[in-house]
Every structure is written in C-alpha cells, then in structure tokens.
Amino acid sequence: MTDNSRLEKAITHITSRITQRPAVAVVLGSGLGDFADRVVDPIEITASSIPSYPISSVAGHEGKLIFGKLKTGTKESLPLLIFKGRVHFFETNDLKATTFPISVAKALGARFLLATNAAGGINPAFSEGDLMLIEDFMDLSFLNPHQENHSSTTTLFHASVPHYLDKQISGYITDASAVLGITLRRGTYCWLKGPSYETKAEIEMLRRLGADAVGMSTVPEVILATELGMRTGAISLISNMAAGLSEGRLSHEEVAVAAGRVKEIFTALLEETILRIKD
Ligand code: HPA
C-alpha cells in the first residue's frame, strides 16, 4: 500500500466518527496523557481501530485520538485533536510511522500543533519537574526527516525552514505561564534516537554543544508539521536530570512518576495556552 492510500484509509475511518474537523493538534508525551480528561464531550477513537495507524508499545502511551473542545467559564477553545500517546522512532525504525499522526492531523485540517514530551534536563540550572519551552532543537539522530518526507528531492536541508517553532505559539505558552505563575524554562531540545538513556560522557558532550534537554521524540513531528504549514509550539517536562546530573539509574518508571507529580501544572499550562490560540 502506498503512503497516501494508508493515510486515506485512516482519514476515511476517522471522519466517519467525528462531528467537527480539528484546528489544533496536541501530542501528549510520556505520562502526560491525563490532560485529555479536560476535553468536554470527547469523541475517543482507539488507535488500534484505525486502519494503518501505528501503535506504541511504550508504557504510558495509550494510543487514543480524542476529539473535542476545552470549555472553561465563557471561554471555549478551537476544536482539538489530542493524541494520547505517540510512537517513537525507536519502536519501528520508521519515520513515517512516527510522523503518521501529524499527517493525519494535517489531512483533517489542523493548522496548529502543540507537542509535549518528557525529557532529561541537561542545563544545570534546571530541576526535575520543571517545564521548558522548546525554543529550538538539535537533530542528532542524523536521520534528516526532511528528506524522508520529500523523497523526490534529495538536496533539501533543515536550513530551508529558518525556524521550526512558531514565535506566536511560543508567546502564548510564555503568556500562559506568566498568568499561572509557573516558572517556565526555555531552551534547546536535543533529539536522540534512543532507546537507551545516555551515558554521563554523552550528556557532557550535549551540554558542551548547547543542549538544555534531551529526549527521544518530538523533533520529527515538529519538522513535518512545520513543513506542512502548521504553526507549532513545544513543551518539555523535565522528568529527570540527565545522566551525571542526578543520582542513580534512570528508568522509564521514574519519568512516569515525575510526570504524575507535575500533572496539574502541566495541564493548566496547556489549557491556558490552547485557549489563547485563535485562527
Ligand atoms: N534521556 C533521554 N530521554 C529522556 C530522558 C533522558 O534522560 N528523560 C526522559 N526522556
């Protein structure tokens, strides 16, 4: 099956279930899925029921698409499509599977993307539980998703898009944090393929290169969404300080526990941000 027919099949299934086209797509990272409970009158579609839809095997990545709106008092958000759980590159070694949700969101009409993740903190000023606005990223996967998504062109590079993260959406995240009194860190996110966590020496290398946080997701989604013309913002939850900056061994459970601790702050930040997004 071609990539287009895979996408068409998925879209046909999804559109038969929804009542309204989404304007804003939200990807919820490790342990952050509870935000989806904020949606009023949700329409939930299980990823495994959608033809051709890739399924995550990572704990805490439930695999649901949730359609609906946020409503608080007199304020109502644009229609949302929330991806509860994502497929990381390391699960399939297939970038198309990793970015499939973005293709789905775009095909359904979404014009904005908010991407979230759990990440290891590298900037020594950060602490576990901090929230970081992703201002820029480093793609140390060297996979060049850009070329992957433009297979007919071989000479396109990241430089053709000067900045992947939208200034206005980033401004909404900043304003929302100010209104809520949340300290918002800012920095550069480094994407590594994983799935193993880094060594101390690798983290020291990334620190010297200028990375503030490290993780195994988000960058392929941000690249594709931006290139498809979606305005994109991204937030990392610093779920742990990276190797060498904290005691003990890192584990996925630790990431989930940290996410659980800041769930309410994270939810409030996302909600305030989404309510600011207007056409
Ligand atoms: N390294 C890589 N990915 C991560 C980390 C980390 O320390 N924490 C959460 N995702």
Side-chain angles (χ1 to χ4, degrees):
M1 214 191 306
T2 66
D3 292 335
N4 271 350
S5 56
R6 248 184 230 119
L7 183 60
E8 270 169 30
K9 278 207 153 101
I11 296 299
T12 305
H13 178 87
I14 294 168
T15 44
S16 72
R17 296 277 319 275
I18 60 176
T19 50
Q20 201 172 22
R21 295 267 175 168
V24 183
V26 184
V27 179
L28 297 176
S30 290
L32 301 170
D34 285 4
F35 171 76
D37 298 342
R38 304 291 302 165
V39 171
V40 179
D41 300 329
I43 294 177
E44 263 192 34
I45 308 180
T46 309
S48 57
S49 74
I50 304 171
S52 312
Y53 201 93
I55 308 299
S56 175
S57 54
V58 176
H61 286 265
E62 224 177 308
K64 280 190 180 153
L65 280 66
I66 294 145
F67 293 83
K69 284 183 179 178
L70 300 177
K71 285 184 192 162
T72 50
T74 54
K75 290 191 208 154
E76 188 174 304
S77 73
L78 291 175
L80 306 178
L81 161 52
I82 298 178
F83 295 99
K84 195 170 176 181
R86 62 152 61 83
V87 174
H88 303 81
F89 175 75
F90 62 74
E91 297 180 68
T92 57
N93 275 343
D94 176 6
L95 272 175
K96 291 259 161 56
T98 307
T99 55
F100 195 75
I102 305 303
S103 304
V104 165
K106 174 69 185 178
L108 291 171
R111 299 179 294 287
F112 303 94
L113 170 71
L114 280 177
T116 69
N117 61 41
I122 296 179
N123 186 326
F126 291 0
S127 312
E128 183 190 306
D130 279 351
L131 295 169
M132 183 188 93
L133 172 72
I134 302 182
E135 289 189 312
D136 206 346
F137 60 76
M138 293 177 186
D139 174 2
L140 294 196
S141 72
F142 299 115
L143 288 169
N144 196 350
H146 194 140
Q147 282 198 25
E148 176 81 7
N149 294 315
H150 296 268
S151 44
S152 58
T153 4
T154 51
T155 49
L156 294 170
F157 298 98
H158 293 332
S160 65
V161 175
H163 202 81
Y164 283 93
L165 293 145
D166 186 83
K167 290 265 175 342
Q168 193 171 18
I169 303 293
S170 300
Y172 292 152
I173 298 170
T174 307
D175 293 349
S177 71
V179 165
L180 294 165
I182 295 171
T183 305
L184 184 69
R185 307 294 194 168
R186 318 172 77 85
T188 296
Y189 174 88
C190 176
W191 176 36
L192 297 181
K193 277 190 285 184
S196 46
Y197 290 116
E198 304 71 31
T199 64
K200 286 184 197 173
E202 286 162 350
I203 293 301
E204 175 58 15
M205 171 188 74
L206 298 182
R207 188 189 67 76
R208 292 189 201 189
L209 290 175
D212 297 293
V214 60
M216 306 174 198
S217 69
T218 308
V219 168
E221 290 128 291
V222 169
I223 291 174
L224 180 61
T226 309
E227 290 175 3
L228 292 174
M230 294 169 73
R231 294 172 57 198
T232 298
I235 306 168
S236 286
L237 158 67
I238 305 300
S239 57
N240 56 279
M241 289 307 285
L245 291 149
S246 65
E247 301 296 317
R249 210 181 140 88
L250 291 179
S251 69
H252 184 64
E253 290 69 40
E254 185 189 355
V255 171
V257 169
R261 258 188 255 126
V262 294
K263 217 155 44 185
E264 274 160 39
I265 296 173
F266 171 82
T267 296
L269 180 64
L270 216 50
E271 186 163 57
E272 274 293 323
T273 301
I274 290 169
L275 288 168
R276 286 175 157 68
I277 301 179
K278 298 276 170 323
D279 278 310

